Amino acid sequence: MFDFIRRVFLSEHKKHHQKSLLIRPEFGYLFDGIPDEWVSLDLEMTGLNPKTDHILSVGAVSIKHKDGVLTMDTADALSIVCRPPVMPDTSTIVIHGLRPIDVQNGVSYNEMLERLLPFIAGRTVVGFCVDMDMRFLNALAAPYLGVKLPNKTLDVSVLDQKIRQKKQRDPNVFVEKKHLNQLLKSYKIPLLPAHDALNDAMMTAMLFCHLNKNHP
Amino acid sequence: MNYLDHPPFDVLNSDERTKLEKHSQIVYLDEGQSVPSQWQGDFFVIIKGALKQFLADELIAGLSVSDWFNTTTKNGETYNFITSEQSLLYRINGNALNDIADQNPTLKKLLYADLASRRELQNVRHAHYESQQLLHQSIESLGHHIKPAHFVASTATLLEATIAMNEVHAKHVLVKGDKVGMFTQADVCHAVGDGADFDTSVLPYTNFNLSTIHVKQDLSEALLIMLERKIHRLPIVDDHGDIVGVLGQTELLNFLTNHSQLIVAKIEQASSLESLGMAVDMIGKYIRNSVQTGVKTHVISRTVQSLNAQVFAKAWSLIAPQSVVDNTCLFVMGSEGRGEQIMRTDQDNALIIKDGFYDANLAEYAQRFNDALAQFGYPYCDGHIMLNNELWRKPLSAFKDQVLSWYQHADESMIWLATLLDAHFVAGDKDLFDELMAYTMDAKNHAAANFINRFAKAILQFGDGSHFWQKFTGSANHDVDLKKAGIFPIVHGVRALALEYGITVTSTRARLDELEKQSVLDQKTTLNLKEALDFFLTKRLLVALATTDKSARKVNPNQLSALERDLLKESLAVAKDFKGFVTRHYRLDVFGV
């Protein structure tokens, strides 16, 4: 019991401490968790290393409880193309499909954050391998805010793995994570054209709604 | 990965699609790069960007998003592709695709077949779609194809019912009691076979178990009921359940085919220019209808040619007195003469006068004739090739002199000669026409030196630079002028060859058949030329039907489906190849004019 109180207190304290480090106090609301609301987020990057690679585009769509069901709000979705400091090269263009001419008129990273952060606010961030996206986002947000983003995260690949592990009677059998395309296929989520951040965010959101609907 | 869901890959089954996905990758090319030679033989779909297609340094086409291409032509030449902006391509392994195409003939046709069979395939799809459309019209739209309902009372005898049937020239009558029944000719046969007394009631031989159809239902419903229940006639009911008419299988089929016969009757019956105008309006409706039922364009245009000729003949007979009609000959020229006229475009017509015949009012009749046609919606000809112009209203001997001098001068007058070569008889004394045409063919022996080469030279008049090909560089919304880029080079090239080889038929298709017979062109070439011309005329027709652009010369490649755009490109390439053939054949590169 004491441990529990200490943990709660510590996390509150930590939150408070973190909040005091904000160099832009107007973003204080990021620390006010919004229960029962999520934002599905997907980034397209030039590669996998946050130190050397860059974000090219951002897609985000919010999910809320509406009349007792989870609903994605596609009308209010975010799709931002950014201008990276270095243009993508041929080897990665074929993966994300963004040509130099697609990104050269993109917005600056600061402008992207000014639009994305209010959109996320205190909501839980949902994604596929969401940690990777958060590492890239924090590489930009940390210098901008003075602290890393405090948002809770939820990874649909982990969520799905847990659900299937529960179903598996034999606890010694380890259930593998599945790739996004496999998941979409097995849950019959409609496929939107791939390699578009917003479409990926939407498919992830649909997957999240689907998994929650059957296993709240 | 849904690049494989679009034409031409929409004909793949899911196994084939999965297999093809395994042999595909996305590739990227920077601006101004050529498709590398080691990708030779592969097949590409453009995901993003635009490319230009060259054949031996000559710009053939521009390609944009969702277009597909492979690097070899059907006769084994290699195309060059250069990106006009940074491009993302879907690259499909050529060998894998060939394997699948070998199992899937539909895909093979779409990918590799000649223009002709490709067009046919698209037409089949198109016709299927269009006939579906036609079948979804309501019963009401049949209008006069619905027979009125004729009733006899339920107290009628077999004899009375049979007489009633004969009186209205029908194969059935409806019997009206508490319920409505139908008594048909087949029932008369039954009654006779049974040795029935014809003074007894009709009721035992009347079928009261009738299927009906509501006037707002689709034609397809009517057809289905007829097929399922094996019946030939369907009573049509309105909202009150009252029978308003009877739809027969014959009438339904008649409607689904064409009804040009009706227009012919209308033209023949016209007793004034005004009522003739109404018949002309029906021609427009007929065209629209035929297009919707997927009738081939050259078939429509031949029908329209004969309908138009009948309209002109009728108008001429309404305007000019009989003595004038008998002593002159009216004929049409240009596209109207070739039977390649679909929508009403410029009137090109002329009048030959029998030597020695004179009528003081001839000029006035001619003027009234041209005015009447303009009223009907056949605009005046810009070049004044009309019988109200004295140049085109002459005695036979004067006409002959005129033709000879055209041959000898070989200047701008060649355009008149070209027009005259496509002449088609309309009304009056046909001997005059035949004599003039025979003379026109003979007189070329007295033509100026190199006449035929200069005559053919016009094929280059729309610039030998490939400026209209630039319209095809995809990204900008440019229209392609079908007449300049496609129709004229084919028509005029064929016309020059026809003149050289003494071919007297006037339609381009018929000329091509003759040229093939005389081994001037090979079968493949003539087939592709016919198909290309048909494609251009069809496109022109569809543009005319869909827009207010009555001359309908422009088509915007970006408003076509990817497959249509591909056909347009192929057709333009056929026209261009032919232009090359004519240039070499007449040494046009050598003859400066």
Side-chain angles (χ1 to χ4, degrees), chain B residues 400-417:
Chain B
K400 288 182 180 172
D401 295 345
Q402 179 75 76
V403 170
L404 187 62
S405 90
W406 284 341
Y407 272 118
Q408 285 167 337
H409 288 103
D411 49 18
E412 295 83 83
S413 61
M414 283 194 301
I415 191 153
W416 294 328
L417 206 50

Side-chain angles (χ1 to χ4, degrees), chain A residues 95-107:
Chain A
I95 298 165
H96 50 69
L98 288 162
R99 304 163 297 169
I101 50 172
D102 295 326
V103 296
Q104 66 195 9
N105 295 322
V107 302

Side-chain angles (χ1 to χ4, degrees), chain B residues 428-566:
Chain B
D429 183 351
K430 190 162 186 297
D431 291 346
L432 295 172
F433 177 79
D434 292 337
E435 197 170 331
L436 181 62
M437 286 300 113
Y439 182 83
T440 305
M441 269 295 158
D442 290 346
K444 75 167 190 286
N445 302 326
H446 307 289
N450 309 330
F451 169 84
I452 191 76
N453 312 73
R454 283 194 242 173
F455 183 76
K457 184 92 182 177
I459 202 171
L460 303 178
Q461 81 179 65
F462 293 124
D464 34 6
S466 43
H467 69 264
F468 58 73
W469 298 99
Q470 288 155 16
K471 300 263 163 78
F472 249 124
T473 40
S475 49
N477 265 4
H478 281 307
D479 292 346
V480 172
D481 188 322
L482 294 173
K483 187 166 180 179
K484 284 186 186 176
I487 300 172
F488 182 79
I490 295 178
V491 166
H492 190 68
V494 171
R495 179 162 42 213
L497 290 167
L499 179 62
E500 183 189 0
Y501 290 94
I503 293 164
T504 53
V505 285
T506 57
S507 90
T508 304
R509 291 180 76 87
R511 283 171 174 167
L512 281 166
D513 288 339
E514 282 296 321
L515 289 168
E516 189 186 319
K517 256 187 219 154
Q518 299 191 29
S519 311
V520 183
L521 298 171
D522 63 49
Q523 190 190 350
K524 200 166 168 176
T525 307
T526 57
L527 191 65
N528 278 335
L529 281 169
K530 281 183 206 170
E531 289 292 335
L533 183 63
D534 214 26
F535 178 77
F536 291 133
L537 293 172
T538 305
K539 267 289 142 237
R540 212 173 152 177
L541 175 60
L542 292 175
V543 171
L545 289 175
T547 64
T548 51
D549 173 15
K550 281 304 158 229
S551 65
R553 287 171 49 162
K554 303 261 195 291
V555 58
N556 183 334
N558 295 337
Q559 291 171 346
L560 303 174
S561 71
L563 182 62
E564 279 185 317
R565 209 166 29 217
D566 196 68

Side-chain angles (χ1 to χ4, degrees), chain A residues 90 93-94 96-102 104 191-195, chain B residues 1-3 26-31 48-50 85-88:
Chain A
T90 308
I93 292 172
V94 298
H96 50 69
L98 288 162
R99 304 163 297 169
I101 50 172
D102 295 326
Q104 66 195 9
L191 283 177
L192 301 168
H195 300 301
Chain B
M1 291 290 184
N2 38 20
Y3 307 110
I26 295 175
V27 292
Y28 171 77
L29 291 173
D30 208 348
E31 187 176 343
K48 278 183 176 179
E85 66 175 51
Q86 299 167 344
S87 297
L88 205 59

Side-chain angles (χ1 to χ4, degrees), chain B residues 305-363:
Chain B
Q305 178 190 28
S306 94
L307 289 172
N308 280 343
Q310 290 178 63
V311 168
F312 301 158
K314 184 78 191 184
W316 184 232
S317 73
L318 288 170
I319 291 165
Q322 195 60 42
S323 66
V324 170
V325 175
D326 290 342
N327 286 291
T328 59
C329 170
L330 175 71
F331 63 93
V332 291
M333 295 165 285
S335 55
E336 187 71 71
R338 291 193 307 274
E340 283 151 19
Q341 176 83 303
I342 303 166
M343 300 312 281
R344 284 167 241 168
T345 58
D346 300 4
Q347 39 172 313
D348 293 327
N349 43 48
L351 191 75
I352 315 168
I353 304 159
K354 197 178 273 181
D355 286 320
F357 176 80
Y358 176 78
D359 186 302
N361 300 320
L362 205 49

Side-chain angles (χ1 to χ4, degrees), chain B residues 245-257:
Chain B
V246 177
L247 178 62
Q249 223 176 49
T250 322
E251 287 81 21
L252 183 56
L253 291 174
N254 260 340
F255 176 78
L256 293 177
T257 51

Side-chain angles (χ1 to χ4, degrees), chain A residues 5-42:
Chain A
I5 292 171
R6 198 177 62 154
R7 263 208 312 272
V8 170
F9 177 77
L10 266 179
S11 73
E12 271 303 311
H13 172 77
K14 198 171 155 190
K15 192 166 115 177
H16 194 76
H17 173 70
Q18 288 282 315
K19 206 166 167 173
S20 69
L21 295 176
L22 266 178
I23 47 179
R24 295 171 192 260
E26 68 269 25
F27 284 100
Y29 60 78
L30 290 169
F31 290 86
D32 308 333
I34 305 176
D36 276 357
E37 290 198 19
W38 301 262
V39 167
S40 172
L41 178 77
D42 182 70

Side-chain angles (χ1 to χ4, degrees), chain B residues 24-273:
Chain B
S24 313
Q25 59 188 121
I26 295 175
V27 292
Y28 171 77
L29 291 173
D30 208 348
E31 187 176 343
Q33 275 188 294
S34 296
V35 172
S37 55
Q38 53 268 41
W39 295 358
Q40 190 78 60
D42 286 353
F43 190 94
F44 303 86
V45 183
I46 303 176
I47 302 169
K48 278 183 176 179
L51 290 92
K52 288 183 186 145
Q53 178 177 1
F54 293 88
L55 182 58
D57 295 336
E58 207 171 359
L59 183 62
I60 295 284
L63 303 139
S64 54
V65 174
S66 87
D67 277 346
W68 48 272
F69 61 92
N70 53 0
T71 42
T72 29
T73 68
K74 49 178 182 276
N75 32 20
E77 294 162 303
T78 304
Y79 285 123
N80 249 323
F81 291 89
I82 295 174
T83 54
S84 39
E85 66 175 51
Q86 299 167 344
S87 297
L88 205 59
L89 307 174
Y90 196 57
R91 176 183 164 199
I92 299 163
N93 179 297
N95 296 334
L97 188 62
N98 285 338
D99 291 350
I100 285 173
D102 285 339
Q103 299 157 18
N104 186 330
T106 326
L107 178 70
K108 193 176 182 129
K109 243 184 171 173
L110 283 170
L111 294 182
Y112 305 110
D114 272 341
L115 191 54
S117 48
R118 266 166 87 164
R119 280 222 46 215
E120 199 159 320
L121 211 63
Q122 201 201 4
N123 281 345
V124 170
R125 287 182 180 190
H126 195 71
H128 173 73
Y129 162 80
E130 290 289 9
S131 61
Q132 290 299 322
Q133 293 263 308
L134 190 68
L135 281 171
H136 289 306
Q137 295 190 40
S138 70
I139 303 274
E140 273 175 320
S141 64
L142 285 170
H144 61 266
H145 287 274
I146 298 175
K147 290 208 167 123
H150 298 288
F151 293 95
V152 295
S154 56
T155 54
T157 62
L158 278 168
L159 185 63
E160 284 166 343
T162 309
I163 289 171
M165 205 186 296
N166 291 343
E167 272 176 352
V168 295
H169 302 292
K171 292 192 165 81
H172 69 276
V173 286
L174 294 165
V175 180
K176 204 165 190 167
D178 312 339
K179 274 183 78 179
V180 175
M182 192 183 274
F183 177 67
T184 67
Q185 279 186 350
D187 300 322
V188 177
C189 295
H190 288 157
V192 171
D194 294 350
D197 178 357
F198 265 63
D199 286 327
T200 59
S201 169
V202 71
L203 296 179
Y205 289 97
T206 304
N207 172 20
F208 282 97
N209 182 16
L210 290 184
S211 310
T212 58
I213 188 155
H214 190 275
V215 70
K216 291 262 191 270
Q217 280 181 286
D218 285 358
L219 294 183
S220 57
E221 295 279 342
L223 207 53
L224 276 175
I225 295 174
M226 286 178 183
L227 292 172
E228 279 172 0
R229 310 206 42 180
K230 295 192 174 63
I231 49 177
H232 293 278
R233 294 174 201 87
L234 255 184
I236 303 164
V237 295
D238 62 9
D239 289 335
H240 312 298
D242 292 335
I243 293 178
V244 291
V246 177
L247 178 62
Q249 223 176 49
T250 322
E251 287 81 21
L252 183 56
L253 291 174
N254 260 340
F255 176 78
L256 293 177
T257 51
N258 72 62
H259 34 275
S260 59
Q261 283 313 309
L262 222 74
I263 306 175
V264 173
K266 259 264 191 293
I267 295 171
E268 280 170 2
Q269 288 160 11
S271 56
S272 67
L273 288 174

